């Protein structure tokens, strides 16, 4: 794909968009549906490359899937009847598939090899390998990077484990393995992270007890098939929240967005920056959802610290963009996890936005963003998603407030989480 010429300064964003299904929740629905007894119906499953990595992996283990209109039906197989795959499990770009499946498949009595694309092969796996080894799993790996081979496992031990990084992927991998252990497992989470695994397990009849920052997981593997309605992805809605706030004379409504409090850091931080939102049609479908209306507003700088980070980790590129347009400066700390996302987001966000005239300083664990800096290029400029979906979409929003000619390299990265991003953009530009 060549570079994509981006729409720059000059049009407004108006209208209503229905958000695609939440990526985190879609992965979990496919995984748990796969190991439940009976058929699980998933409504509004995200159709994207990352979720397809999970579906393909489970198909390779003998699970069958079928579409009924827009719904995906998962013909569940119990954990005990999954079959040895004939091939290596290719996780492609998907960290969530790789890490959660290592936990889910920890006790399979055969060898499994996980591989990924060049981005995923640079990302750390010691964070899941270490606790799973403590539970009795053996792995073969070089430098704790993919490819990783998990050896046949007969028994899993319960453990007590304090998460060294605030990561829902690691927490979820341990929970999924702990359900299959011989004893109780306790997971201590110093900073709360997204609780979609816990909520989704409850929908399949499995309860994980939480006492303050401890999760107590009892052995239990009988999941009952169910119907899951996947909420719209707040991480996808976030592009439009920022776009409407920053592009003058905009007014957007985003329908059926998941507003789980472990994911709404973007709303809290923008509120702190002076923004206000209208919420309507609030209801709970296993997860809380709402319609969110947002209009153009003036923002001011803020401070973001470690406790904010897990609630908006994937929206950080957008907060940095918002901060470039806010009155005053913004300091973001406690975000060193950004180095190990689909790209090193501290580096990629800083380099690419600074090409548009932003004034951002990269820090070891975050950013210092100089506020109220008009974005402007004097000659045709190519910005690069760096193969990272979230960086690519944030840059497409940044272009909307840039004067001059801008195009985006590797725009197809959007297919990882939001394949109809550019179609939605066209629909609301007026
Ligand atoms: C995810 C958790 C987060 C997030 C990722 C999805 C999940 O990763 O960045 O996009 O579905 O559990 P970490 O748990 O590694 O922070």
């Amino acid at each position: 794909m060549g570079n994509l010429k981006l729409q720059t300064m000059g049009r407004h964003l108006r209208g209503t968009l229905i958000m695609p299904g939440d990526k985190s929740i879609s992965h979990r629905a496919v995984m748990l549906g796969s190991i439940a007894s009976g058929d699980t119906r998933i409504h509004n499953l995200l159709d994207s490359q990352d979720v397809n990595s999970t579906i393909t992996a489970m198909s390779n283990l003998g699970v069958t899937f079928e579409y009924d209109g827009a719904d995906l039906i998962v013909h569940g197989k119990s954990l005990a009847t999954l079959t040895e795959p004939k091939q290596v499990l290719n996780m492609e770009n998907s960290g969530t598939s790789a890490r959660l499946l290592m936990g889910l498949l920890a006790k399979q009595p055969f060898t499994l090899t996980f591989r990924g694309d060049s981005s995923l092969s640079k990302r750390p796996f010691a964070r899941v390998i270490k606790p799973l080894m403590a539970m009795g799993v053996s792995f073969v790996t070089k430098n704790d990077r993919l490819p990783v081979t998990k050896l046949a496992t007969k028994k899993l031990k319960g453990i007590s484990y304090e998460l060294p990084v605030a990561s829902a992927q690691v927490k979820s991998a341990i929970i999924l393995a702990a359900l299959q252990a011989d004893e109780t497992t306790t997971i201590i989470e110093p900073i709360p992270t997204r609780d979609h695994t816990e909520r989704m397990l409850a929908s399949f009849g499995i309860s994980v007890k939480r006492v303050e920052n401890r999760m107590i997981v009892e052995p239990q593997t009988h999941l009952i098939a169910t119907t899951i309605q996947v909420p719209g992805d707040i991480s996808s809605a976030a592009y439009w929240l920022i776009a409407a706030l920053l592009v003058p004379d905009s007014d957007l409504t985003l329908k059926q967005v998941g507003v789980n409090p472990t994911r709404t850091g973007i709303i809290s931080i923008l509120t702190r920056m002076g923004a206000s939102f209208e919420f309507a049609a609030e209801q709970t479908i296993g997860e809380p959802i709402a319609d969110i209306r947002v209009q153009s507003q003036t923002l001011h700088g803020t401070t973001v610290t470690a406790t904010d980070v897990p609630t908006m980790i994937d929206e950080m590129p957008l907060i940095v963009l918002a901060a470039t347009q806010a009155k005053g400066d913004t300091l973001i700390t406690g975000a060193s996890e950004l180095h190990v996302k689909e790209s090193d987001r501290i580096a990629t966000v800083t380099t690419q936005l600074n090409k548009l005239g932003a004034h951002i300083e990269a820090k070891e664990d975050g950013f210092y963003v100089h506020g109220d800096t008009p974005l402007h290029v004097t000659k045709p400029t190519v910005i690069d998603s760096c193969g990272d979906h979230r960086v690519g979409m944030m840059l497409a929003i940044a272009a909307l407030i840039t004067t001059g000619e801008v195009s985006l390299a590797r725009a197809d990265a959007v297919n990882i989480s939001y394949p109809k991003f550019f179609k939605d953009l066209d629909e609301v530009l007026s």
Side-chain angles (χ1 to χ4, degrees):
M1 188 181 185
N3 297 340
L4 181 73
K5 192 157 185 278
L6 293 173
Q7 167 70 42
T8 51
M9 194 86 100
R11 287 164 76 187
H12 324 296
L13 299 169
R14 293 182 161 262
T16 298
L17 291 172
I18 299 177
M19 285 300 102
D22 186 279
K23 179 160 84 67
S24 289
I25 297 172
S26 294
H27 283 297
R28 286 156 172 85
V30 171
M31 289 180 197
L32 298 190
S34 294
I35 59 158
S37 54
D39 289 353
T40 289
R41 175 178 288 270
I42 311 175
H43 180 65
N44 198 36
L45 182 82
L46 173 65
D47 179 12
S48 81
Q49 258 181 43
D50 259 19
V51 176
N52 280 334
S53 302
T54 293
I55 295 177
T56 306
M58 294 318 299
S59 305
N60 288 336
L61 284 140
V63 179
T64 52
F65 298 89
E66 188 186 339
Y67 280 93
D68 178 19
D71 291 356
L72 181 72
I73 313 291
V74 188
H75 300 298
K77 254 168 118 57
S78 70
L79 275 163
T81 62
L82 294 174
T83 47
E84 184 168 358
K86 292 192 180 59
Q87 57 277 85
V88 164
L89 299 178
N90 189 353
M91 304 289 109
E92 295 169 280
N93 195 247
S94 180
T96 307
S97 309
R99 298 206 177 102
L100 269 62
L101 287 176
M102 283 182 188
L104 186 82
L105 302 174
K107 204 183 161 188
Q108 290 303 313
F110 39 74
T111 296
L112 286 169
T113 299
F114 298 83
R115 61 172 286 241
D117 68 5
S118 63
S119 153
L120 192 58
S121 303
K122 290 191 197 92
R123 298 178 65 186
F125 279 80
R127 51 185 61 199
V128 282
I129 289 176
K130 213 174 140 215
L132 292 175
M133 283 180 74
M135 296 177 87
V137 188
S138 299
F139 290 96
V140 180
T141 154
K142 263 195 225 138
N143 312 321
D144 298 317
R145 299 285 191 268
L146 296 185
V148 166
T149 297
K150 182 204 82 74
L151 303 182
T153 312
K154 286 212 177 79
K155 273 173 89 59
L156 291 177
K157 294 193 278 275
I159 54 168
S160 175
Y161 193 75
E162 176 160 353
L163 295 175
V165 277
S167 163
Q169 292 183 353
V170 177
K171 173 181 71 174
S172 301
I174 303 171
I175 292 175
L176 295 172
L179 296 172
Q180 308 166 57
D182 290 339
E183 303 90 16
T184 306
T185 290
T186 304
I187 306 163
I188 301 138
E189 188 178 45
I191 303 178
T193 63
R194 62 189 71 189
D195 62 359
H196 303 308
T197 302
E198 297 90 308
R199 284 175 186 258
M200 181 73 65
L201 279 167
S203 303
F204 283 87
I206 300 270
S207 80
V208 170
K209 199 159 129 206
R210 184 172 192 117
V211 183
E212 293 167 358
N213 65 351
R214 290 170 181 264
M215 260 122 342
I216 297 148
V217 191
E218 303 292 350
Q220 44 191 328
T221 48
H222 183 60
L223 280 74
I224 304 155
T226 186
T227 296
I228 300 289
Q229 193 180 335
V230 179
D233 198 329
I234 190 164
S235 297
S236 299
Y239 301 104
W240 310 117
L241 297 180
I242 301 292
L245 285 168
L246 300 185
V247 176
D249 207 15
S250 294
D251 186 347
L252 286 179
T253 299
L254 311 164
K255 302 283 274 186
Q256 293 162 16
V257 181
V259 287
N260 177 322
T262 61
R263 290 284 297 282
T264 47
I266 177 96
I267 306 269
S268 317
I269 290 166
L270 290 171
T271 305
R272 240 152 59 198
M273 295 174 84
S276 65
F277 304 91
E278 276 174 44
F279 293 87
E282 290 170 72
Q283 53 167 313
T284 300
I285 50 163
E287 295 271 348
I289 60 167
D291 296 350
I292 311 177
R293 181 172 175 205
V294 53
Q295 291 166 293
S296 322
Q297 290 164 62
T298 307
L299 301 175
H300 50 78
T302 188
T303 304
V304 176
T305 59
T307 46
D308 297 312
V309 171
T311 63
M312 41 74 74
I313 180 78
D314 294 336
E315 290 67 73
M316 196 66 92
L318 286 162
I319 289 292
V320 174
L321 171 62
T324 68
Q325 302 307 299
K327 300 216 175 308
D329 296 349
T330 292
L331 174 64
I332 298 171
T333 58
S336 46
E337 272 297 293
L338 293 174
H339 288 298
V340 292
K341 293 295 177 187
E342 286 84 330
S343 66
D344 174 347
R345 287 185 182 155
I346 296 186
T348 51
V349 167
T350 304
T351 311
Q352 300 304 316
L353 280 177
N354 283 350
K355 281 190 196 169
L356 300 179
H359 186 183
I360 303 165
E361 295 169 42
K363 301 276 172 203
E364 184 40 43
D365 69 341
F367 306 85
Y368 190 88
V369 187
H370 295 262
D372 214 359
T373 312
L375 301 185
H376 174 63
V377 292
T378 48
K379 56 178 191 322
T381 300
V382 178
I383 44 180
D384 188 353
S385 76
C386 306
D388 181 334
H389 55 132
R390 303 215 186 274
V391 174
M393 290 184 273
M394 178 279 290
L395 291 172
I397 302 300
L400 296 172
I401 52 162
T402 304
T403 47
E405 204 181 305
V406 180
S407 43
L408 180 64
R410 294 189 264 178
D412 56 350
V414 306
N415 293 329
I416 294 297
S417 63
Y418 195 168
K420 65 186 190 66
F421 173 80
F422 287 108
K423 189 168 163 276
D424 280 358
L425 177 58
D426 267 354
E427 197 170 313
V428 292
L429 275 173
S430 60

